[in-house]
Amino acid sequence: MKTRGTTILAVRRDGKVAVAGDGQVTLQESVIKHHAKKVRRIYNDKIIVGFAGTAADALNLSERLEAKLERYNGNLMRSAVELARDWRTDKFLRRLEAVMVAVDESKMFLISGNGDVIEPDEGIIGIGSGGVGAQAAAKALVKYSDLDAGSIVKAAMKIAASICIYTNEEITVEEL
């Protein structure tokens, strides 16, 4: 799936995690919104999710993840696996076009409709059109700076916005 119009970045450092998303919404070749919020807190503000893809599909998946979290008492790993299983096998859900990042105080996952539930080795995930650039910038900042997680996602997202035409500098950041 080719996702355009979104960059989401999650970074864990020194026991803290930050998730950032840009605010640009693109329809074909036009920017139609500059201040969209693609990162939000769910499950009593204990989980942060960020999504790339169509907004309605991403919100649907976010609500489904929150229902799984309620069912499994906030266990993010179990909830993510169950959501990915449903997403892959359900006739309706298979059509949803989105990718999610979900984090809590100790876990970080990329969740996709292919059944993927991926926990990164280095505590950094970038998704969406500018995800690779944001992730590369974050890796360099983690290795060569003393910045905290929130500062890293802000700086890395600014770098991604400078090179990705589908990413802007109107960034939303949530931290745990």
Side-chain angles (χ1 to χ4, degrees):
M1 170 178 31
K2 186 173 183 180
T3 305
R4 298 188 314 187
T6 297
T7 300
I8 303 293
L9 177 64
V11 173
R12 182 177 308 283
R13 185 167 208 195
D14 300 327
K16 301 286 185 185
V17 65
V19 181
D22 77 304
Q24 183 167 299
V25 176
T26 308
L27 182 62
Q28 296 173 349
E29 288 80 36
S30 299
V31 176
I32 59 170
K33 186 172 177 85
H34 298 281
H35 303 283
K37 187 173 179 187
K38 303 170 191 174
V39 174
R40 66 187 200 130
R41 290 173 177 263
I42 62 173
Y43 191 70
N44 302 316
D45 292 338
K46 295 179 182 177
I47 309 286
I48 301 171
V49 293
F51 50 84
T54 61
D57 292 352
L59 291 171
N60 183 328
L61 291 166
S62 179
E63 289 170 3
R64 288 177 181 271
L65 178 60
E66 190 157 23
K68 297 288 185 190
L69 289 161
E70 293 289 339
R71 181 174 181 186
Y72 298 112
N73 299 315
N75 183 325
L76 181 57
M77 181 180 292
R78 175 90 188 264
S79 299
V81 169
E82 291 296 323
L83 175 64
R85 182 184 59 80
D86 289 354
W87 193 353
R88 184 180 171 130
T89 60
D90 184 90
K91 184 178 176 180
F92 168 73
L93 291 177
R94 273 195 311 247
R95 292 189 167 131
L96 299 182
E97 296 180 11
V99 179
M100 299 180 77
V101 169
V103 303
D104 67 10
E105 60 188 21
S106 63
K107 299 286 184 193
M108 176 185 292
F109 297 109
L110 178 148
I111 309 166
S112 82
N114 295 328
D116 298 319
V117 178
I118 301 168
E119 186 171 18
D121 291 332
E122 299 173 344
I124 302 171
I125 294 175
I127 61 171
S129 59
V132 171
Q135 185 170 332
K139 283 186 172 201
L141 289 166
V142 165
K143 186 170 183 176
Y144 298 109
S145 79
D146 293 326
L147 296 174
D148 64 11
S151 298
I152 289 170
V153 296
K154 289 173 190 168
M157 289 292 289
K158 188 169 182 155
I159 291 167
S162 75
I163 57 176
C164 176
I165 63 170
Y166 296 106
T167 303
N168 70 10
E169 292 187 29
E170 300 299 325
I171 297 166
T172 301
V173 178
E174 293 285 348
E175 298 181 59
L176 293 174

